[in-house]
Amino acid sequence: FADTSRLLGSRRPGYGTLQPDPSHMAQVSPLLQEVSGYQSRPWRVLLCHVGSVLTAGLLLLLFHWKPSLEVQAKCRPCALGQADWVIIRDRFGQCFTTRVLLEPLGEGSLEQHPGARPEDRRSSIAIGVSDEEESRDTIRLQEKEEKNILRYYLFQGMRYVWLERRQLFCKVSVLDEGWTCADLHLSQPGLDQQDHTTRRKIYGPNLIEVPVKSYTRLLVEEVLNPFYIFQVFSIVLWVCDAYYYYAACIFLISTISLGLSLYETRKQSTTLQTMARMSVGVRVRRPGGEETVVSSVELVPGDCISIPRDGMLVPCDAALLTGECLVNESMLTGESVPVMKTPLPAGAQAAAAVYSPEEHRRHTLFCGTHVIQAKSYVGGEVLAVVTRTGFCTAKGDLIGSILYPKPVSFKFYKDAVKFVLFLAVLAFVGTLYSILILVRNQVPVGQIVLRALDLVTVIVPPALPAAMTVGTIYAQNRLKRQGIFCISPPRINLCGKIRLVCFDKTGTLTEEGLDVWGVVPLENSRFLPIVHEPRCLPAGPLLYALATCHSLAPLRAQLVGDPVDLKMLESTGWRLETMEEEEEEGELPAFQQFGMKVLAVVKPPPEEEQPRDRKHQSPLGILRRFPFSSSFQRMSVLVKLPGEAPAHVYVKGAPEMVASLCRKETVPLDFSQMLRHYTTDGFRVLGLACKALGAVATFEEALQLPRDSVESSLSFLGFLVMKNVLKPESAPVIQLLRNANIRPVMVTGDNMLTAMNVARSCRMVEPQERVIFVTASPPGHDKPAALRFLLAEHSQGEEQPEGLEQRDGSSPPPQPCHFALNGKSFQVVCEHFADLLPKILLRATVFARMLPEQKTQLVCSLQELNYCVGMCGDGANDCGALRAADVGVSLSEAEASVASPFTSRVANIECVPRVIR
């Protein structure tokens, strides 16, 4: 369910209370559409019990099939604030019921922001409801029998609490929103025991509980399915009519089918429970400097935890406050490369920003990930503050998407139901006719009943559910033998309906590893010929940028990190060492010559390995890292040279982004032409830039520098050119899909021209087929949003006569062609040209520079066009799209990735046609 904060935060003071409407329903969020309150009435409950007895249990069976009818029968509608039960109707039209629970709270208080100073905390019982704090999204506790009562209900693992002032039940995570980075930094002292106890009662235990039903309960629920009830009826009828062998065969088939279904269901639930269950010991800070070891189950948002140096399994979502952590996030993302996490910004400007787990993901430790190693900056400990617990965490969100997926609605099931209903009508007509004929022939009443009912079982196939279950399980096992694992069996029936497949590029269509092709340096703002051996570069900013601008970290005498960073550092011949390694080797003077603490030292290669005319002796000290982010499309480092007071910043990222941060006079005039020269040949190109900062006296001072000011007014250094090789299996599979009239689409975060080269290489775009770039610009000060279509061979940047705008009544060219657009244009089209979006998507083949959320949005937009969409990817950037697609296939070495319904252990796209078959 979407967070309710947008709804609550949009309320103006004085307009915050939502009165229940006459139907006693409240709109809660776009996904949780409405919640209705009901209050129990004893006389209604008694009547329902009497009705169940009089109908021989048929009323109970009806209540089992439609739980909402039971609540409506036993309760009367009421305001949500007084409800004992709620009926929840989601956007898919599904109804759920759950009981409202009450939690007595002792004396205590809770501030919304965990970093609030102790002297500012109120001692009142109410939680954030004073008139002066009208704008805060907090809870008021009802007083009942002189006790504080918290009203809440649990739905799909999530806890929803009652907000008295809002007159709504909202996700408990609403209380965590609005925290700034400064608030989180203020939480380092930790929570006192009273605050912790109150929060524990409100947030509940830090558990992701996966219900595992017993075989008995599963059997009862399955047998009470209408199809199986009809099957039992049929078997009893056949036995009465002496059809012993036929009845025995159907009974045997149904029993085997039911047993296999129950076994697979419980096995998957048990596997998921094992994966979700987590309870570890965690060191928690308390005011006064004391630390206590508690179970992770007891953690609440606002707790300050200490990360051990040798790492730990992260039991919650937490914002990193001090130190660095090397984290393996493969459990959540399928990405095998460890990620470097850095502290939450502490500068005045950055600290005022509202904390967001997505925007600050490089500073966030996610639940379920594994911290491989932690390293403190200036002595002390590596600290993090808990921000989310339980199902509100990233892992909880993934487990929830598996436990409670969106309903799979496709034509086969609808047609099957229509078919059975049609047969039922035929059976009814046939029964009436047979009764009439048998009565005329004076057949005994017992025989008439048997013959009439037998006709129903002949026309309506009772073995249909058993056959469908056996077929699905067989298909799942057949996929498993081919190295493809499925955690959502109902999706198997969708695979044959796929009409469009989206592919990631790097690691999916092309090889994961990139080789350094060379470096294109500058001299007097002009490009020089490419240098294929970076280690031959002279000492200077370009070489230093290659040696230091990365997020690599040594782990057990081996460097780990992004493959691009590994190849880049390897090409220079320089070596990365951390302070701990230096201390072990007794080489502290290397750090002393920088005049301050540094995170790591990059040393030049031994003299015998250096070119004769290029001798490098001075090491480089890395002061701080600003990690790579998809939204920023770049990363940067602060570097100190021995004996120099000023620090230097080196930036690496998408060429267009890096160039936009540079001073215009440092960017060559032929920048676009040179970039196009390499990208059209299929190379991956990164831009490099640098800037000299003022004197940085201490390590702490470097930590306070804001990223915006550091990454501005840069000097452009040149290009890093890397070779991306197409996987040999890609082209045949793409051709196979096209021959089957299944559209292949590329969705990548890479450069447009590089993506186009790969699209042509894998035959996604044939050599004779035309490509048209769709470029959309957002509205400016005096200009409306514009949409243009440019032929690929003419798209050098100048405007073409083909430029079209929506308001002129123009439409895309009628000739067969492929559209290609980048993430920014896609966003503008979605926002300002929504009526043209379907026409563009019907012809679009290449999407470049796409952010992770844009990939997900694209998949959803294609689904709205009635496409059954497949998605194939391998990295963290593909998780959202893999989960949103009808059929998501993750290329991962893990046996089962929670990121997608299907996981292939063979890391190439040959698995896609196998899944479809």
Side-chain angles (χ1 to χ4, degrees):
F1 290 96
D3 291 338
T4 55
S5 59
R6 290 186 177 87
L7 174 64
L8 301 179
S10 64
R11 300 284 176 192
R12 298 187 298 275
Y15 191 66
T17 303
L18 257 179
Q19 298 298 331
D21 61 18
S23 63
H24 306 284
M25 295 180 181
Q27 300 297 321
V28 177
S29 76
L31 294 184
L32 180 60
Q33 290 187 339
E34 59 187 38
V35 178
S36 310
Y38 289 84
Q39 202 167 48
S40 296
R41 282 291 176 264
W43 65 269
R44 289 191 176 213
V45 176
L46 182 60
L47 280 179
C48 287
H49 288 319
V50 172
S52 300
V53 173
L54 294 178
T55 58
L58 289 179
L59 187 60
L60 289 176
L61 191 61
L62 181 63
F63 286 163
H64 174 77
W65 291 339
K66 297 286 274 185
S68 59
L69 288 180
E70 181 178 10
V71 172
Q72 290 169 345
K74 294 181 178 180
C75 308
R76 71 169 182 84
C78 68
L80 283 175
Q82 286 79 44
D84 299 322
W85 287 84
V86 291
I87 295 179
I88 303 161
R89 184 183 298 274
D90 66 11
R91 68 179 177 127
F92 305 111
Q94 301 179 112
C95 279
F96 304 90
T97 64
T98 185
R99 190 176 186 85
V100 176
L101 304 173
L102 305 179
E103 177 76 31
L105 293 177
E107 296 295 322
S109 64
L110 176 68
E111 284 292 307
Q112 176 193 4
H113 302 290
R117 296 183 299 276
E119 59 268 23
D120 290 341
R121 292 177 179 163
R122 300 189 305 279
S123 59
S124 62
I125 303 303
I127 299 180
V129 294
S130 63
D131 293 336
E132 294 83 1
E133 295 175 331
E134 179 81 2
S135 62
R136 291 196 179 186
D137 293 326
T138 47
I139 308 174
R140 174 184 294 171
L141 305 179
Q142 291 187 344
E143 293 187 7
K144 187 175 181 181
E145 298 177 0
E146 298 183 355
K147 291 184 179 180
N148 299 318
I149 304 297
L150 174 70
R151 301 176 62 84
Y152 70 95
Y153 65 80
L154 300 175
F155 178 59
Q156 296 187 343
M158 204 76 70
R159 179 177 287 222
Y160 291 80
V161 293
W162 174 249
L163 302 186
E164 181 72 20
R165 181 165 57 86
R166 304 287 180 182
Q167 293 291 297
L168 286 173
F169 281 102
C170 293
K171 270 203 307 190
V172 71
S173 59
V174 167
L175 299 175
D176 310 333
E177 294 166 359
W179 295 352
T180 64
C181 296
D183 291 328
L184 295 175
H185 275 286
L186 287 173
S187 65
Q188 286 195 32
L191 297 174
D192 59 37
Q193 194 59 46
Q194 186 179 7
D195 277 348
H196 181 273
T197 302
T198 305
R199 288 169 186 254
R200 173 73 192 280
K201 291 180 179 179
I202 291 174
Y203 287 93
N206 177 31
L207 285 174
I208 302 174
E209 298 185 40
V210 177
V212 178
K213 300 175 183 177
S214 64
Y215 279 113
T216 304
R217 185 175 175 184
L218 286 172
L219 178 64
V220 170
E221 290 182 355
E222 194 72 24
V223 168
L224 291 180
N225 184 292
F227 267 115
Y228 279 106
I229 289 178
F230 177 66
Q231 217 165 33
V232 171
F233 163 77
S234 301
I235 291 173
V236 171
L237 180 66
W238 293 331
V239 169
C240 294
D241 202 24
Y243 287 175
Y244 300 120
Y245 294 115
Y246 187 57
C249 288
I250 294 297
F251 176 78
L252 185 63
I253 293 173
S254 298
T255 303
I256 294 173
S257 165
L258 195 59
L260 287 173
S261 177
L262 296 185
Y263 173 75
E264 288 293 334
T265 301
R266 198 168 194 278
K267 179 184 175 183
Q268 289 175 8
S269 297
T270 305
T271 303
L272 198 58
Q273 185 187 55
T274 304
M275 183 176 64
R277 183 187 296 154
M278 186 188 307
S279 180
V280 297
V282 183
R283 283 195 301 163
V284 179
R285 275 193 163 195
R286 295 287 180 238
E290 63 174 319
E291 288 189 355
T292 57
V293 178
V294 302
S295 169
S296 59
V297 177
E298 299 179 18
L299 292 177
V300 296
D303 271 332
C304 185
I305 62 176
S306 176
I307 311 296
R309 181 175 173 179
D310 56 350
M312 65 179 290
L313 197 63
V314 184
C316 57
D317 283 0
L320 190 61
L321 301 180
T322 63
E324 282 186 342
C325 291
L326 189 65
V327 184
N328 180 359
E329 294 188 336
S330 60
M331 165 64 192
L332 292 181
T333 65
E335 185 73 67
S336 58
V337 178
V339 181
M340 179 66 74
K341 302 286 185 174
T342 58
L344 207 61
Q349 183 178 355
V354 175
Y355 171 75
S356 165
E358 196 57 41
E359 290 182 14
H360 296 94
R361 64 179 300 111
R362 284 290 185 168
H363 315 295
T364 302
L365 305 175
F366 292 105
C367 178
T369 60
H370 182 224
V371 176
I372 302 172
Q373 68 178 17
K375 182 171 57 178
S376 61
Y377 280 165
V378 189
E381 299 174 294
V382 179
L383 301 176
V385 60
V386 179
T387 56
R388 298 282 175 93
T389 57
F391 269 94
C392 295
T393 62
K395 182 178 180 181
D397 184 41
L398 280 176
I399 298 296
S401 68
I402 297 171
L403 281 174
Y404 316 107
K406 67 179 182 181
V408 179
S409 176
F410 60 104
K411 202 176 178 186
F412 174 74
Y413 278 159
K414 293 178 181 177
D415 289 348
V417 172
K418 291 177 183 177
F419 174 67
V420 170
L421 289 176
F422 175 71
L423 292 180
V425 172
L426 284 182
F428 179 72
V429 174
T431 300
L432 292 179
Y433 178 76
S434 63
I435 290 174
L436 182 63
I437 297 298
L438 292 172
V439 168
R440 281 185 178 180
N441 294 332
Q442 298 181 348
V443 177
V445 176
Q447 285 296 317
I448 291 176
V449 172
L450 283 176
R451 295 281 74 79
L453 294 178
D454 185 44
L455 189 61
V456 176
T457 64
V458 170
I459 296 177
V460 180
L464 182 62
M468 292 178 65
T469 302
V470 170
T472 301
I473 293 173
Y474 176 74
Q476 189 176 5
N477 290 331
R478 187 171 56 181
L479 286 172
K480 192 173 182 178
R481 287 195 296 270
Q482 296 182 22
I484 301 170
F485 299 90
C486 174
I487 61 173
S488 180
R491 302 269 178 171
I492 293 176
N493 293 324
L494 278 173
C495 295
K497 305 290 289 183
I498 290 178
R499 287 296 170 264
L500 182 146
V501 184
C502 297
F503 293 96
D504 179 40
K505 182 181 75 69
T506 307
T508 303
L509 294 172
T510 62
E511 298 289 353
E512 180 66 46
L514 297 175
D515 293 323
V516 174
W517 181 253
V519 181
V520 184
L522 290 185
E523 185 175 303
N524 298 326
S525 296
R526 293 186 178 182
F527 284 112
L528 298 178
I530 188 170
V531 177
H532 291 286
E533 287 291 335
R535 66 179 63 220
C536 297
L537 291 171
L542 183 57
L543 178 63
Y544 296 160
L546 296 173
T548 61
C549 196
H550 50 72
S551 56
L552 300 175
L555 179 65
R556 302 181 187 92
Q558 186 175 1
L559 289 180
V560 293
D562 190 286
V564 173
D565 290 345
L566 283 168
K567 289 289 186 180
M568 182 180 72
L569 180 62
E570 195 178 286
S571 69
T572 64
W574 288 53
R575 308 188 321 273
L576 176 70
E577 295 181 0
T578 61
M579 187 166 66
E580 288 80 1
E581 289 179 312
E582 293 280 322
E583 290 173 352
E584 290 173 4
E585 297 175 7
E587 298 184 7
L588 281 177
F591 278 84
Q592 292 175 354
Q593 59 185 308
F594 295 105
M596 65 176 73
K597 174 184 170 63
V598 293
L599 294 180
V601 171
V602 184
K603 292 185 175 181
E607 289 193 14
E608 61 272 14
E609 296 180 13
Q610 297 185 29
R612 293 182 179 179
D613 56 338
R614 304 274 195 247
K615 296 298 180 183
H616 310 295
Q617 296 181 350
S618 298
L620 305 171
I622 299 177
L623 285 175
R624 185 180 180 187
R625 297 184 181 98
F626 294 101
F628 175 80
S629 167
S630 296
S631 56
F632 289 135
Q633 295 184 323
R634 64 184 183 274
M635 73 159 294
S636 59
V637 291
L638 295 182
V639 175
K640 194 80 185 296
L641 276 68
E644 292 188 13
H648 298 265
V649 57
Y650 296 106
V651 180
K652 175 191 72 179
E656 304 91 339
M657 176 57 71
V658 172
S660 69
L661 301 173
C662 294
R663 302 194 314 274
K664 287 186 178 181
E665 62 271 17
T666 67
V667 180
L669 297 176
D670 58 343
F671 170 88
S672 299
Q673 289 84 344
M674 185 63 71
L675 177 60
R676 184 183 181 85
H677 170 71
Y678 288 105
T679 54
T680 50
D681 287 339
F683 291 104
R684 183 175 180 183
V685 182
L686 297 174
L688 301 167
C690 73
K691 181 175 76 171
L693 299 174
V696 177
T698 63
F699 179 76
E700 292 78 5
E701 185 180 336
L703 296 181
Q704 298 298 320
L705 292 173
R707 182 167 187 167
D708 291 343
S709 63
V710 168
E711 297 176 341
S712 62
S713 302
L714 304 172
S715 297
F716 190 71
L717 293 176
F719 291 139
L720 171 64
V721 183
M722 309 196 79
K723 192 174 183 180
N724 205 188
V725 181
L726 191 72
K727 289 182 179 179
E729 302 87 3
S730 297
V733 170
I734 296 297
Q735 192 62 43
L736 179 65
L737 293 176
R738 293 193 69 178
N739 291 341
N741 289 325
I742 298 174
R743 274 184 62 194
V745 171
M746 184 191 300
V747 189
T748 177
D750 210 339
N751 177 277
M752 171 63 78
L753 296 178
T754 303
M756 283 305 311
N757 179 274
V758 173
R760 291 192 182 278
S761 300
C762 69
R763 309 298 292 273
M764 198 174 285
V765 177
E766 295 288 354
Q768 71 276 11
E769 293 176 333
R770 294 198 308 165
V771 175
I772 293 179
F773 291 141
V774 180
T775 60
S777 54
H781 296 294
D782 300 319
K783 297 180 179 179
L787 181 63
R788 303 183 184 281
F789 299 85
L790 307 175
L791 279 172
E793 56 267 28
H794 299 302
S795 59
Q796 302 292 335
E798 67 273 19
E799 296 185 7
Q800 295 296 317
E802 290 89 349
L804 303 173
E805 296 187 15
Q806 180 194 22
R807 61 180 183 278
D808 295 334
S810 57
S811 59
Q815 299 90 348
C817 59
H818 294 271
F819 283 170
L821 61 161
N822 60 26
K824 289 181 179 178
S825 295
F826 174 70
Q827 200 66 41
V828 173
V829 171
C830 290
E831 294 174 3
H832 300 283
F833 301 95
D835 55 336
L836 280 183
L837 179 63
K839 297 179 181 179
I840 292 174
L841 292 182
L842 287 173
R843 298 184 181 180
T845 301
V846 177
F847 295 84
R849 290 285 186 232
M850 295 285 280
L851 300 176
E853 57 270 21
Q854 290 173 338
K855 292 183 179 183
T856 306
Q857 186 179 359
L858 172 64
V859 169
C860 294
S861 298
L862 289 168
Q863 288 172 328
E864 290 174 3
L865 298 180
N866 293 324
Y867 273 112
C868 185
V869 180
M871 173 70 196
C872 184
D874 71 320
N877 291 344
D878 307 317
C879 279
L882 286 168
R883 290 164 56 199
D886 297 293
V887 178
V889 184
S890 172
L891 306 184
S892 171
E893 294 181 359
E895 180 170 306
S897 168
V898 295
S900 66
F902 296 89
T903 303
S904 172
R905 298 188 70 173
V906 181
N908 63 58
I909 64 172
E910 284 184 331
C911 59
V912 173
R914 289 174 185 166
V915 167
I916 295 174
R917 291 191 184 108

